[in-house]
Amino acid sequence: MEENLEKKIELLKQWMEQSGSIVFFGGAGVSTESGIPDFRSVDGLYNQTYKYPPETIISHSFYVRNPQEFYRFYKDRMLFPDAKPNRAHLALAKLEQEGKLTAVITQNIDGLHQAAGSKEVLELHGSVHRNYCTRCGQFYDLDYVLKSEGVPRCSCGGTIKPDVVLYEEGLDNRILQKSVNAIRNADMLIVGGTSLVVYPAAGLIDYYQGKRLVLINKDKTARDSMADLVINGKIGEVLGAAVGV
Ligand code: NAD
């Protein structure tokens, strides 16, 4: 590990030790080390060729107009039932267990924070693990969606929709408010694996009032200049080393 990176991880560790209400806010980059592609890296979904760009396919209007094509893409590119939590997920779960971390706020829909043992997970964009009949409200798990052919149907004949926030859809206000409160009360905010371009989620970090804003990302982000510590590295390696998992 390069010397500069080691020093930064050491500082991150010290800050963690001195903090008692850490909040983590993350995105797709948290799960790339688990084999789930993000959207904006060079090997991410936006740089692969499909008939339509991902933000078109996973939009509300596209889902309504063309559910077959939506589900073809969704099942093929957004469901990773065999993915396992990586060191980033495990480190955050450990910090919560130790009473140091109050919440994980995530833009991810993969459920890997819960799989790692985290309890207070605020899922801004929903979860692939929850699916509902749009006619009668009946709940279905991920397995049902995976095993269905084409568009999954309810026993009542209605269409099943994932409880995932599509483009053009609004965020759940209750979860947004809980996230704002958690960030306002945090004594340390760690932001990682997110390009910070998807709003309103990206705007959440503006609610942080403390002096320990840490950004961990492979690449530069638009908010690097406002951070107290910027660590360019793989988040699983960085958090794994800082927390010791
Ligand atoms: P994004 O794809 O826009 O950005 C990911 C960022 O993470 C990039 O800046 C990239 O450089 C960085 N990154 C990738 N791997 C990393 C690693 N190992 N360590 C550190 N940094 C790493 O993702 P976003 O900001 O979360 O926004 C995209 C939207 O896509 C979100 O709304 C999310 O709901 C959705 N999404 C979710 C998943 C998932 O659930 N795992 C996967 C893809 C997209």
Side-chain angles (χ1 to χ4, degrees), residues 5 51 65 94 145 211 230 234 245:
L5 182 58
K51 214 164 130 200
R65 239 184 5 254
K94 187 172 173 210
V145 172
K211 289 189 167 37
V230 177
K234 286 186 162 182
V245 292

Side-chain angles (χ1 to χ4, degrees), residues 25-34 36-46 58 77-78 80 86 88-89 106-112 124-126 128 164-165 167 192-199 201-202 216-221 231-238:
F25 171 53
V30 174
S31 293
T32 53
E33 287 162 80
S34 295
I36 302 180
D38 63 10
F39 278 3
R40 290 177 188 80
S41 290
V42 280
D43 49 356
L45 281 183
Y46 281 179
I58 51 175
R77 296 289 147 182
M78 299 189 68
F80 297 86
N86 64 53
H89 301 103
T106 183
Q107 301 167 80
N108 293 348
I109 55 176
D110 53 36
L112 288 182
L124 292 170
H125 295 160
V128 300
V164 161
V165 180
Y167 286 96
T194 170
S195 56
L196 292 172
V197 297
V198 179
Y199 278 79
I216 307 171
N217 204 295
K218 260 188 347 188
D219 307 307
K220 287 194 168 61
T221 76
I231 305 180
N232 289 125
K234 286 186 162 182
I235 192 155
E237 289 177 10
V238 172

